[in-house]
Amino acid sequence: MFSLLRSMWLVFLHMFHKRDTYQYPEQKAPLPARWRGRIALTRDPDGEERCVGCYLCAAACPVDCISLQATEDEHGRRYPEFFRINFSRCIFCGFCEEACPTYAIQLLPDFEMAEYNRQNLVYEKHDLLIPSQGKYPGYNYYKVAGLAIKNKDKGEAEQEEPPVDIKSLLP
Amino acid sequence: MPIINIDNIPYEVKEGKNLLEACLSLGLNLPYFCWHPALGSVGACRQCAVKIFKDEQDTRGKLMMACMEPVKDGMRLSVNDSDAVAFRGHVIGWLMTNHPHDCAVCDEGGSCHLQDMTVMTGHAYRDYHFSKRTYRNQHLGPFINHEMNRCIQCYRCVRFYKDFAGGKDLDVFAAHNHVYFGRQQDGTLENEFSGNLVEVCPTGVFTDKTLKQHYTRKWDLTTAPSICQGCGLGCNIIAGERYGSLRQITNRYNGAVNGYFLCDRGRYGYEFVNSKDRIREPLVVHAPDDKANGLPVLQHVRNRMKPGKVIGIGSPRASVESNYVLKELVGENNFYLGIGEIEHELIRLMLKLLKEGPVRAASMQEAAAADAVVILGEDLTNTAPMLALSVRQAVRRMPVDHAISSIHMPAWQDAAVREAVQENKGPLFILHVVETKLDEVATGAYHTAPDNIARIAFAVSHLLDGTLPEVTGMSDEGKQAAATIAAALRGAKRPLVIAGYGGGSEQVIRAAANLAWALKQQGADAMLSFTVPECNSMGLEMLGGLRLESAVDAVLNGSAETVLILENDLYRRLDLHTANQFFGHCKEVIVLDHLHNATTERANIVLPVGTFAEADGTLVNNEGRAQRFLQVFNPQGAIQESWRWLLQLGDICGHTHLRSLLHYDDLLKAIAAKYPVFIGIDTLTPPADFRIAGQKIPREPHRYSGRTAMQANVNVSEPKPAEDGDTALSFTMEGYRGEPPSSVIPFFWAPGWNSVQSVNKYQVETGGPLHGGNPGKRLLEPNPNGPTKFYTNIPDPFIPVGGHLLLVPLYHIFGSEELSIHTPGIAQRMPAPYIMLHSEDARRFQVAAGHLLYFMDNGHQYALPVVINDTLQKGAAGIPVGLPHMQVAEAPQLVKI
Ligand code: SF4
Ligand code: SF4
Ligand code: SF4
Ligand code: SF4
Ligand code: FES
């Protein structure tokens, strides 16, 4: 009996609290940086595409709504030839972001993606690629990977020794 | 059988194995790198440590490498012992110290044995924080990509390439922690089996360069069990597709056929499937007054088929099913085998010898176990590449057996056995018109004309069995050769005689059979192996039909007007002159093929048909083994299997028998019912209604990605997935997740084993047959009790004729096969047309290397640049077969220069 009255009292008190309802769309809700919304492909500190086309996001996606094709430029740098997300299927679980070894794919605090035509929810690479590093500034996968690309030869990555001279007889 | 206790559980294991093999065969997970079921153990990687206990009282035990310890009855060991687990974790930690942070950009990723083993040992975080060693890579040609940073120094690559495949240009260089696996300098890897490095290397050092052009992870491929179309051996392959194009060929283990390996023609020759020359829609060329516009294409075909005037030309590169339906459609008397005269006679003879003779056709694995080999008139590396690899194993058989008995080492102790064997070779004799690559491992190699080869073989038979006719008028050299060969063969328990289409001589085939039969009569377990040119040459010959030359006659004399040509470019079968004449006289030419070629250019109607990747079908290999290939993916356009087009044609033509064949299984049953030789062809794979736990077998792994996005650019609503009404496989990832029957394994995968090494989980024992038996069925068995009719007709010796040369065919692994040359990498390695002469003949005709030599054949002039080779028989001229832009000249034949 007492708890019943106490609950009613607490509910009554709420009438005098500050309102939690946002008058959307006039008023926007503040979203934390980790909020899982619109997916973007970010760029590395050099402004290059971060995605290396490893297919891990696609494999992690529980609804299989990511598809891409990896390719590489003449210097051996890998990137996606196409990259497609079908947002009409995406459940914004963030698994792709967790799987991504390069911080390329990121879920951003933005959910305003509604469309009248479902076909418009199919995003291609040019819709996804943003000129920003997103939530993880500073990381550059190719600086830690062993692959040689333009302007980064073998032995020039972080914590790498210069290439072995296999003709050397020194111990 | 010995009993061993693993973690206190007793298991019965096979004698003579090592502990690693025993554990893997029992289905236990024990990590390893340097051991390979076909290469044996060397104990180099230290990854397979287990703890071995002296007896029940021993609680300390000692760490040992499982791959180096033989199985002993009553022994006790522990795989899960904490010391062993920690040791293995440390080993992989050390192997990883220099490993690059590459998985995301590594083509091995997702099918990487190193990834799998790292996960298996639980080494999740690196504890090495210093700098990493790096290497420069090499350009290794069009097939193999090199990324040396990823190497873990397991030495598998050189052990395969040098020791197993006989390659010379891959080695290990430098010392201590700088060892480098590569070539002495940049350049194409020359060995014909280099592609296997991709699967042998447990890391991403060597990866498939053609896959890189359209890179797809293993988990994203739609795959199906298939059969290589590259030659007549019928190696088992897995073909994988993504986004409508074929992406990769990998080995499909078959313990009786190709084992763990493939040749480079087979592995890389798939790109014709994606060629821009593919025919994707039916083409109808209208005569000006043809009003039939708008009719379905099959109506057009029917309208052009005048009763009684239609003939069909089959093909050795089309399936048994397609050839059968064509034969039924046009009638037995109007069905012609689409192969040249010489080829037809040779294969007919081989088939007869294998069916009626007492000696069995050797499978490739049996060939590898032979202890003496005689090759008559074949350059195996170029005509039947994987058989050459078997022969390379066979020459080791005698010395290995000897070493095993003298040093008391099991065969899997690879390093010790190789040390004991040194360069010793068992008997291998090669008789060919010119030097061959296998000569380097031969006890004796003799270069002489086909007739002389036959004579030497007859002479050997005579020496083995005095009742067989003697060869008179032999040269001293020939006598010497025959005596050496006979002496070597006398001691052999499992001798193998190889001959085939490469020599182009019936005499050689007969002599080979004689020799094998004589050996059999001497009590040896003799084997015969005949090579055939194309993937279904044997199947076509078993089906039977009239010769192609009579088809030409029928058209020229007007008794036939409409020709249905099944997957066959007649310009590769007939000389230019005859082919032009033939097509000039045909009223209607209807071609079913998958690539545009000279024949489709002469067609009035072209029907687009599926390649092996888009069709189901059966091929019969050189051994007489029927094997099924299953469709990988649903093609775009109007492409369908040849047999389906022809069944539909039969339907609209009112053909009662063809009309009754509603399903693929009906077709198979009809073939088996009509031709006793094909009995069993209908049970090669489970029928279409086969289900395990109510489910089909999925072609896609459970991690297959992108289903709801890959076609979303076309339409956001996903189309209904394609259905496969013909087989027990589904085109999707839904279905039974366990192990399918061995004949329909679309990919090898087991929990924790993503790489190709997972095949261990599908075998009865490592390196043994697949669960449920190796797929395929031998249709030809010898006639053990039948009378052996030895050939007694010995050819006359070859004598060079003044002003003439004997044209002999020379084959090239890269170039002689029609479809594989559509792969740019293979085209790049193809030789330019040439004519090969002995330097004395060159002097006789006053030409030097590089000069053009002119000769006439059947009204056609040939001009070919001269290549000099002094191992060639004098008076003979070698011409390459099958190269594009190389006119067809009949070989062997004598031509005037
Ligand atoms: S996981 Fe990251 S790097 Fe890999 S394909 Fe996806 S977005 Fe690209
Ligand atoms: S070899 Fe294996 S572990 Fe190494 S980078 Fe490639 S995928 Fe990763
Ligand atoms: S290249 Fe591959 S196979 Fe060769 S030693 Fe290195 S890891 Fe082993
Ligand atoms: S040996 Fe013949 S069947 Fe085997 S992989 Fe090579 S081409 Fe294909
Ligand atoms: S597999 Fe046993 S030491 Fe390498």
Side-chain angles (χ1 to χ4, degrees), chain B residues 273-328:
Chain B
V273 175
N274 309 330
S275 166
K276 59 179 188 344
D277 292 339
R278 280 299 299 277
I279 305 162
R280 300 203 176 267
E281 295 296 335
L283 305 169
V284 181
V285 179
H286 291 283
D289 57 340
D290 192 339
K291 307 231 170 54
N293 239 330
L295 279 184
V297 64
L298 286 174
Q299 292 284 355
H300 282 285
V301 178
R302 192 193 58 180
N303 293 350
R304 292 167 196 223
M305 291 172 53
K306 281 212 199 86
K309 296 264 184 185
V310 186
I311 61 169
I313 296 180
S315 168
R317 67 169 160 86
S319 61
V320 172
E321 291 85 338
S322 301
N323 280 301
Y324 168 81
V325 181
L326 179 62
K327 188 170 176 180
E328 288 298 312

Side-chain angles (χ1 to χ4, degrees), chain B residues 800-806 841 844-845 854-855 875 894-897:
Chain B
V801 187
H804 286 69
L805 284 172
L806 175 73
D841 289 322
R844 194 149 64 97
F845 294 107
Y854 296 87
F855 63 90
L894 212 55
V895 291
K896 194 165 158 23
I897 305 292

Side-chain angles (χ1 to χ4, degrees), chain B residues 228 230-231 233-235 262-263 265-266 384-386:
Chain B
C228 177
C231 78
L233 294 178
C235 295
L262 294 176
C263 80
R265 181 198 275 179
M386 280 294 289

Side-chain angles (χ1 to χ4, degrees), chain A residues 54-55 58 63-66 68-69 72 78 84 86 89 119 141 146 153-154 159-164 170, chain B residues 101-102 104 107 131-132 134-136 147 176 215 217 243 247 705-710 712-713 716 718:
Chain A
C54 71
Y55 297 97
V63 292
D64 285 345
C65 73
I66 305 178
L68 67 145
Q69 175 60 55
E72 62 180 41
R78 301 256 264 212
R84 183 179 308 131
N86 178 357
R89 289 283 185 196
Q119 185 68 41
Y141 173 78
D153 200 0
K154 290 280 172 197
Q159 295 222 329
E160 271 190 357
E161 286 162 19
V164 166
L170 295 177
Chain B
H101 191 63
D102 264 4
D107 287 357
S131 53
K132 293 180 191 174
T134 61
Y135 291 103
R136 293 210 178 278
E147 186 61 43
H176 52 90
Y215 183 66
R217 296 254 181 244
Y243 301 136
R247 301 273 158 130
S705 78
R707 276 183 311 167
T708 62
M710 50 203 295
N713 56 332
V716 69
E718 293 94 42

Side-chain angles (χ1 to χ4, degrees), chain B residues 318-638:
Chain B
S319 61
V320 172
E321 291 85 338
S322 301
N323 280 301
Y324 168 81
V325 181
L326 179 62
K327 188 170 176 180
E328 288 298 312
L329 182 70
V330 297
E332 203 142 316
N333 298 329
N334 299 314
F335 179 73
Y336 298 84
L337 302 181
I339 51 177
E341 182 80 27
I342 295 181
E343 199 177 308
H344 171 54
E345 291 300 337
L346 285 176
I347 302 169
R348 198 167 66 144
L349 181 62
M350 292 174 198
L351 183 61
K352 179 169 158 250
L353 296 174
L354 292 180
K355 242 187 344 201
E356 296 170 8
V359 170
R360 164 185 170 86
S363 74
M364 274 195 272
Q365 294 310 305
E366 287 165 337
D371 54 1
V373 183
V374 181
I375 302 175
L376 300 174
E378 274 291 301
D379 177 4
L380 280 188
T381 315
N382 288 306
T383 54
M386 280 294 289
L387 191 56
L389 196 61
S390 291
V391 169
R392 281 186 187 269
Q393 311 322 310
V395 295
R396 297 191 66 237
R397 192 63 47 196
M398 263 197 188
V400 164
D401 286 348
H402 181 71
I404 289 172
S405 58
S406 61
I407 61 170
H408 306 292
M409 279 284 176
W412 46 260
Q413 276 283 10
D414 192 51
V417 170
R418 282 193 192 269
E419 195 61 35
V421 166
Q422 293 288 324
E423 289 300 295
N424 290 343
K425 301 273 185 314
L428 163 65
F429 295 93
I430 302 178
L431 290 80
H432 192 45
V433 67
V434 66
E435 64 182 349
T436 70
K437 193 155 181 182
L438 276 180
D439 286 5
E440 66 192 24
V441 291
T443 327
Y446 308 96
H447 307 133
T448 181
D451 283 348
N452 295 349
I453 293 174
R455 285 169 61 81
I456 295 176
F458 277 117
V460 177
S461 310
H462 170 74
L463 291 175
L464 290 172
D465 179 349
T467 61
L468 295 177
E470 197 179 344
V471 182
T472 50
M474 285 279 275
S475 66
D476 288 344
E477 248 182 333
K479 271 187 205 145
Q480 183 69 42
T484 325
I485 299 173
L489 288 180
R490 268 198 201 101
K493 287 191 210 66
R494 292 183 308 278
L496 167 68
V497 183
I498 302 177
Y501 74 100
S505 158
E506 276 178 62
Q507 295 291 2
V508 172
I509 305 272
R510 287 201 189 96
N514 250 24
L515 180 52
W517 295 345
L519 285 164
K520 173 105 187 168
Q521 235 169 33
Q522 302 301 305
D525 190 5
M527 297 178 283
L528 248 182
S529 190
F530 291 130
T531 64
V532 296
E534 277 166 87
C535 58
N536 199 24
S537 292
M538 200 51 104
L540 182 66
E541 202 62 50
M542 284 159 84
L543 188 68
L546 309 168
R547 53 197 64 230
L548 182 58
E549 279 66 18
S550 22
V552 176
D553 293 342
V555 167
L556 293 191
N557 68 24
S559 61
E561 289 181 354
T562 301
V563 190
L564 278 164
I565 301 174
L566 173 67
E567 300 182 36
N568 207 337
D569 179 6
L570 295 187
Y571 280 90
R572 288 178 67 92
R573 315 276 174 193
L574 301 168
D575 66 67
L576 184 67
H577 178 73
T578 317
N580 278 339
Q581 221 181 3
F582 172 75
F583 285 114
H585 281 76
C586 290
K587 286 243 168 59
E588 303 289 349
V589 179
I590 297 152
V591 178
L592 296 94
D593 214 337
H594 40 70
L595 283 170
H596 280 291
N597 55 36
T599 297
T600 60
E601 265 168 43
R602 303 299 301 253
N604 305 87
I605 298 181
V606 182
L607 298 176
V609 307
T611 61
F612 71 98
E614 300 134 340
D616 302 313
T618 310
L619 305 173
V620 183
N621 78 352
N622 69 321
E623 177 203 350
R625 186 182 296 269
Q627 306 190 95
R628 173 83 26 85
F629 59 92
L630 296 183
Q631 185 171 1
V632 182
F633 66 108
N634 250 336
Q636 317 141 358

